[in-house]
Short mmCIF file of all heavy atoms in Angstrom, two decimals:
data_model
loop_
_atom_site.label_atom_id
_atom_site.label_comp_id
_atom_site.label_asym_id
_atom_site.label_seq_id
_atom_site.Cartn_x
_atom_site.Cartn_y
_atom_site.Cartn_z
N ILE A 218 5.11 55.53 -31.64
CA ILE A 218 4.55 56.88 -31.75
C ILE A 218 3.66 57.16 -30.55
O ILE A 218 2.58 56.58 -30.42
CB ILE A 218 3.72 56.98 -33.05
CG1 ILE A 218 4.64 56.72 -34.26
CG2 ILE A 218 3.02 58.33 -33.15
CD1 ILE A 218 3.91 56.68 -35.58
N PRO A 219 4.13 58.02 -29.64
CA PRO A 219 3.32 58.28 -28.44
C PRO A 219 2.20 59.26 -28.76
O PRO A 219 2.44 60.34 -29.28
CB PRO A 219 4.33 58.94 -27.48
CG PRO A 219 5.39 59.53 -28.35
CD PRO A 219 5.39 58.80 -29.66
N ARG A 220 0.96 58.86 -28.47
CA ARG A 220 -0.18 59.76 -28.69
C ARG A 220 -0.84 60.03 -27.35
O ARG A 220 -1.15 59.09 -26.61
CB ARG A 220 -1.18 59.12 -29.68
CG ARG A 220 -0.58 58.75 -31.04
CD ARG A 220 -0.15 59.96 -31.86
NE ARG A 220 -1.23 60.86 -32.12
CZ ARG A 220 -1.90 60.95 -33.29
NH1 ARG A 220 -1.55 60.17 -34.30
NH2 ARG A 220 -2.87 61.81 -33.45
N THR A 221 -1.06 61.29 -27.04
CA THR A 221 -1.67 61.63 -25.76
C THR A 221 -3.19 61.53 -25.85
O THR A 221 -3.76 61.53 -26.94
CB THR A 221 -1.30 63.08 -25.34
OG1 THR A 221 -1.85 63.97 -26.32
CG2 THR A 221 0.22 63.27 -25.26
N HIS A 222 -3.83 61.46 -24.68
CA HIS A 222 -5.30 61.46 -24.64
C HIS A 222 -5.82 62.69 -25.38
O HIS A 222 -6.73 62.61 -26.20
CB HIS A 222 -5.80 61.51 -23.18
CG HIS A 222 -5.43 60.31 -22.37
ND1 HIS A 222 -6.30 59.28 -22.14
CD2 HIS A 222 -4.29 59.98 -21.71
CE1 HIS A 222 -5.72 58.37 -21.38
NE2 HIS A 222 -4.49 58.77 -21.11
N ASN A 223 -5.25 63.85 -25.04
CA ASN A 223 -5.71 65.11 -25.64
C ASN A 223 -5.60 65.10 -27.16
O ASN A 223 -6.54 65.46 -27.85
CB ASN A 223 -4.84 66.27 -25.12
CG ASN A 223 -5.39 66.87 -23.85
OD1 ASN A 223 -6.60 66.84 -23.62
ND2 ASN A 223 -4.51 67.41 -23.02
N ASP A 224 -4.43 64.73 -27.65
CA ASP A 224 -4.25 64.89 -29.10
C ASP A 224 -4.99 63.80 -29.87
O ASP A 224 -5.53 64.06 -30.95
CB ASP A 224 -2.75 64.97 -29.45
CG ASP A 224 -2.10 63.64 -29.75
OD1 ASP A 224 -2.29 63.11 -30.86
OD2 ASP A 224 -1.35 63.13 -28.90
N TYR A 225 -5.06 62.59 -29.31
CA TYR A 225 -5.74 61.53 -30.06
C TYR A 225 -7.25 61.75 -30.06
O TYR A 225 -7.93 61.44 -31.04
CB TYR A 225 -5.37 60.15 -29.50
CG TYR A 225 -5.44 59.10 -30.60
CD1 TYR A 225 -4.72 59.27 -31.78
CD2 TYR A 225 -6.25 57.98 -30.48
CE1 TYR A 225 -4.79 58.35 -32.81
CE2 TYR A 225 -6.31 57.04 -31.51
CZ TYR A 225 -5.59 57.24 -32.67
OH TYR A 225 -5.66 56.32 -33.69
N SER A 226 -7.76 62.33 -28.97
CA SER A 226 -9.18 62.66 -28.94
C SER A 226 -9.52 63.65 -30.06
O SER A 226 -10.50 63.48 -30.79
CB SER A 226 -9.54 63.26 -27.58
OG SER A 226 -10.82 63.84 -27.64
N TYR A 227 -8.69 64.67 -30.21
CA TYR A 227 -8.93 65.63 -31.30
C TYR A 227 -8.90 64.90 -32.64
O TYR A 227 -9.76 65.14 -33.51
CB TYR A 227 -7.87 66.75 -31.29
CG TYR A 227 -8.11 67.72 -32.42
CD1 TYR A 227 -9.12 68.67 -32.34
CD2 TYR A 227 -7.38 67.63 -33.61
CE1 TYR A 227 -9.39 69.53 -33.40
CE2 TYR A 227 -7.63 68.48 -34.67
CZ TYR A 227 -8.65 69.42 -34.57
OH TYR A 227 -8.92 70.26 -35.62
N ASN A 228 -7.93 64.01 -32.80
CA ASN A 228 -7.73 63.24 -34.03
C ASN A 228 -9.05 62.57 -34.49
O ASN A 228 -9.49 62.76 -35.62
CB ASN A 228 -6.68 62.17 -33.73
CG ASN A 228 -6.04 61.50 -34.91
OD1 ASN A 228 -4.96 61.88 -35.32
ND2 ASN A 228 -6.68 60.49 -35.48
N PHE A 229 -9.69 61.84 -33.58
CA PHE A 229 -10.89 61.11 -34.03
C PHE A 229 -12.16 61.95 -33.95
O PHE A 229 -13.10 61.75 -34.72
CB PHE A 229 -11.04 59.75 -33.33
CG PHE A 229 -11.26 59.76 -31.84
CD1 PHE A 229 -12.50 60.07 -31.29
CD2 PHE A 229 -10.23 59.40 -30.99
CE1 PHE A 229 -12.70 60.05 -29.92
CE2 PHE A 229 -10.42 59.38 -29.60
CZ PHE A 229 -11.66 59.71 -29.08
N ARG A 230 -12.17 62.92 -33.02
CA ARG A 230 -13.35 63.76 -32.87
C ARG A 230 -13.57 64.62 -34.12
O ARG A 230 -14.62 64.62 -34.74
CB ARG A 230 -13.13 64.67 -31.67
CG ARG A 230 -14.35 65.05 -30.91
CD ARG A 230 -14.00 65.79 -29.63
NE ARG A 230 -13.23 66.99 -29.84
CZ ARG A 230 -12.09 67.29 -29.20
NH1 ARG A 230 -11.58 66.45 -28.31
NH2 ARG A 230 -11.46 68.42 -29.44
N ARG A 231 -12.52 65.32 -34.50
CA ARG A 231 -12.59 66.19 -35.68
C ARG A 231 -12.82 65.36 -36.94
O ARG A 231 -13.60 65.72 -37.82
CB ARG A 231 -11.29 67.00 -35.77
CG ARG A 231 -11.19 67.89 -36.96
CD ARG A 231 -12.06 69.14 -36.83
NE ARG A 231 -12.06 69.89 -38.08
CZ ARG A 231 -13.14 70.12 -38.82
NH1 ARG A 231 -14.34 69.72 -38.41
NH2 ARG A 231 -13.04 70.77 -39.95
N SER A 232 -12.16 64.19 -37.02
CA SER A 232 -12.33 63.33 -38.19
C SER A 232 -13.77 62.86 -38.31
O SER A 232 -14.30 62.75 -39.42
CB SER A 232 -11.41 62.11 -38.09
OG SER A 232 -10.06 62.50 -38.14
N SER A 233 -14.39 62.57 -37.17
CA SER A 233 -15.76 62.04 -37.23
C SER A 233 -16.73 63.08 -37.76
O SER A 233 -17.73 62.75 -38.40
CB SER A 233 -16.20 61.48 -35.88
OG SER A 233 -16.40 62.52 -34.96
N GLU A 234 -16.43 64.36 -37.49
CA GLU A 234 -17.28 65.43 -38.06
C GLU A 234 -17.13 65.45 -39.58
O GLU A 234 -18.11 65.51 -40.32
CB GLU A 234 -16.83 66.81 -37.55
CG GLU A 234 -17.17 67.10 -36.11
CD GLU A 234 -16.46 68.38 -35.61
OE1 GLU A 234 -15.99 69.20 -36.45
OE2 GLU A 234 -16.37 68.53 -34.39
#
Side-chain angles (χ1 to χ4, degrees):
I218 299 175
R220 303 293 302 258
T221 64
H222 296 261
N223 271 331
D224 91 77
Y225 209 55
S226 167
Y227 179 77
N228 196 98
F229 64 77
R230 211 172 59 231
R231 177 75 187 118
S232 295
S233 71
E234 287 169 18

